Amino acid sequence: MAHGNGAAQPMRAMRAAPLGGHARVPGDKSISHRAFLFGGLASGRTRVTGLLEGEDVLATGRAMRQMGARIERDGEAWIVEGTGNGCLLEPDAPLDFGNAGTGVRLTMGLVGPYDFGATFVGDASLSRRPMGRVLDPLRMMGVQVAARTGDRLPLSIRGPRAAAPIEYRVPMASAQVKSAVLLAGLNTPGVTTVIEPVMTRDHTEKMLEGFGAVVEVATDAAGVRTIRLEGQGALKGVPDFVVPGDPSSAAFLVVAGLLVPGSDIVVENVLMNPTRTGLLLTLEEMGASIERLNPRQSGGEDVADLRVRHSALKGVDVPAERAPSMIDEYPVLAIAAAFAEGRTLMRGLDELRVKESDRLAAVAAGLKVNGVAHEEGEDWLSVEGRPDGKGLGGGMVATHLDHRIAMSFLVLGLAAEKPVAVDDARMIATSFPEFTRLMEALGARFEAVAERAA
């Protein structure tokens, strides 16, 4: 997120010649946050490669440093010397998370049960986002919270003498809430249980196991998952932890490869965790040519290289229950739908109303200024596609400082008849600093826009 009051940097994307070549996307953001959190907590050394070095993840690393972990960069790798489970130190200054929603919520869970005080702060955007759904279960464990109305930052928490383990049924599909409760369970005696009616990203369970925690996961006939974590066990560093490539970042390259005529690209080292592949599944249903090459395991997760070729897409209905596995990918799916034959209907999008921006309204507004036929409902979006891209483009998109809106509409410009501009490209650095460089290496055409001329 662009901090400070620097001038906006508008950018424009033009119709591209066929895209070609190999690209490796940055490490997965969710797993990068957790590499610093779990490595910083485990005893011994964790060597991390492929870490996403965006501002959000580095904020999590700084917070762990303030609580006693040693974290240093060594060439391409990060070396993390952890404190040992239960041995975090009271931070002597507020923990500043900038714009990192994942980082702040998971860290609150991690430090909640410690018998000390910690204060959490963030930038203006993060300070507007509600923290209550993470704080509610922590309060049940005995954590005291001093916060502004609506449980927003800045806020302070203080753990009890001895935290009480809880059984918590997550009221909404949220990997952050589930993870915060499990992390709180690490320093809580007894067994902490999370019941998850709809499965969400399971990186926390998989990675905790990799670091030596005792975790049991059971799924009943109705698909309800029960996760049990034994508290106060030892965690050990992982000598060679490789962060898989982020599927949410890969999404922009994949869609660009599908839409620009004549394209044939390979996106390497992409995380294939089933809780994160909703977009690939949807694109394949639309007729996309996506080959999964060299499937393998990395950091306890499934990984593959994706070969993507230009494809004629057809509109589909995307079921609401798929939303948790692709919540961040709807903006770029809407761009793919703009070039698909017929209508694409996406449902279950209420979560998009509470992201960095009202992401659903921002996507609809961007489609409108670029001539894409669409309808927007309270929790759904439908897009009427135009396979030849005729008449599409020409607009300036208001990004509302949302990196995914910016990148999605730059992809639109690569295949639309007319160039597409975004009002500010600075915040792309929060999640995907290499985006423009990687895309240009494949053949994309971007240029800076003089603000007035926009």
Side-chain angles (χ1 to χ4, degrees):
M1 190 61 60
H3 294 286
N5 306 318
Q9 290 167 5
M11 185 184 275
R12 174 188 298 135
M14 279 80 63
R15 196 163 198 159
L19 304 178
H22 286 240
R24 201 177 175 90
V25 295
D28 181 72
K29 194 171 176 179
S30 305
I31 293 177
S32 295
H33 278 296
R34 289 165 175 80
F36 274 160
L37 288 166
F38 303 166
L41 188 66
S43 57
R45 158 181 289 213
T46 299
R47 181 175 184 273
V48 184
T49 50
L51 185 95
L52 173 69
E53 297 183 4
E55 296 167 33
D56 289 6
V57 171
L58 297 178
T60 297
R62 280 195 300 273
M64 291 306 289
R65 250 195 217 127
Q66 281 177 258
M67 294 185 288
R70 294 193 28 214
I71 300 180
E72 271 156 30
R73 194 168 172 179
D74 177 26
E76 290 293 282
W78 287 82
I79 307 296
V80 184
E81 299 270 359
T83 60
N85 187 22
C87 302
L88 291 177
L89 306 174
E90 180 163 14
D92 55 6
L95 302 172
D96 185 350
F97 280 88
N99 190 244
T102 301
V104 75
R105 292 190 180 107
L106 298 194
T107 307
M108 278 177 193
L110 187 64
V111 304
Y114 279 81
D115 184 12
F116 62 55
T119 298
F120 295 81
V121 299
D123 70 6
S125 159
L126 189 62
S127 301
R128 284 194 296 273
R129 292 165 74 179
M131 299 293 149
R133 52 193 197 179
V134 167
L135 296 171
D136 291 341
L138 293 179
R139 288 181 172 112
M140 291 166 62
M141 298 172 98
V143 179
Q144 294 178 323
V145 181
R148 291 162 47 203
T149 31
D151 278 345
R152 285 193 272 272
L153 301 182
L155 64 82
S156 297
I157 62 176
R158 167 133 217 136
R161 282 266 150 74
I166 59 171
E167 179 177 293
Y168 191 68
R169 191 182 178 93
V170 184
M172 79 301 286
S174 169
Q176 290 182 2
V177 176
K178 164 179 72 175
S179 300
V181 178
L182 291 173
L183 296 189
L186 287 172
N187 194 38
T188 300
V191 175
T192 295
T193 306
V194 177
I195 299 165
E196 185 176 50
V198 178
M199 180 173 182
T200 61
R201 322 181 156 189
D202 58 354
H203 308 307
T204 296
E205 303 93 295
K206 284 191 158 157
M207 284 180 66
L208 279 175
E209 226 171 316
F211 278 87
V214 180
V215 185
E216 279 175 31
V217 183
T219 307
D220 72 11
V224 176
R225 296 174 83 235
T226 301
I227 306 148
R228 294 186 179 84
L229 174 92
E230 275 184 32
Q232 298 183 326
L235 296 184
K236 292 191 176 52
V238 176
D240 183 23
F241 189 91
V242 182
V243 180
D246 180 20
S248 302
S249 296
F252 302 105
L253 283 70
V254 168
V255 170
L258 294 172
L259 299 185
V260 176
S263 297
D264 184 349
I265 63 172
V266 176
V267 188
E268 298 172 349
N269 188 44
V270 183
L271 176 67
M272 288 286 119
N273 183 306
T275 65
R276 303 288 298 282
T277 52
L279 176 73
L280 290 182
L281 184 63
T282 304
L283 292 170
E284 284 163 347
E285 287 172 3
M286 295 171 81
S289 166
I290 303 173
E291 253 183 285
R292 304 179 187 203
L293 311 173
N294 186 17
R296 55 201 186 272
Q297 283 257 313
S298 169
E301 298 274 4
D302 293 323
V303 174
D305 303 331
L306 303 178
R307 183 180 180 191
V308 181
R309 281 171 278 198
H310 172 248
S311 307
L313 303 179
K314 303 181 303 293
V316 293
D317 276 12
V318 190
E321 55 271 21
R322 200 174 290 167
S325 69
M326 56 181 295
I327 197 67
D328 285 328
E329 282 77 62
Y330 284 107
V332 79
L333 175 61
I335 303 307
F339 295 87
E341 190 180 319
R343 177 166 173 264
T344 298
L345 175 62
M346 303 162 237
R347 314 170 196 261
L349 308 187
D350 35 342
E351 181 75 6
L352 288 183
R353 298 268 183 211
V354 296
K355 285 287 181 182
E356 278 84 339
S357 60
D358 177 343
R359 212 171 253 170
L360 187 50
V363 171
L367 294 172
K368 184 176 180 186
V369 297
N370 285 293
V372 180
H374 68 284
E375 285 180 65
E376 173 194 3
E378 187 46 47
D379 63 350
W380 58 269
L381 179 70
S382 78
V383 176
E384 199 69 49
R386 206 172 294 178
D388 59 5
K390 280 267 186 300
L392 302 186
M396 164 69 84
V397 176
T399 58
H400 303 283
L401 294 181
D402 188 320
H403 50 114
R404 296 197 197 279
I405 298 296
M407 291 184 277
S408 298
F409 282 95
L410 288 172
V411 170
L412 173 69
L414 299 177
E417 184 179 24
K418 293 170 281 195
V420 173
V422 298
D423 65 2
D424 196 353
R426 289 175 306 166
M427 81 312 253
I428 290 173
T430 38
S431 71
F432 194 170
E434 306 87 340
F435 171 74
T436 40
R437 183 176 57 72
L438 280 182
M439 294 290 288
E440 286 173 340
L442 295 172
R445 292 172 59 210
F446 299 134
E447 65 180 20
V449 180
E451 280 211 68
R452 288 289 140 250

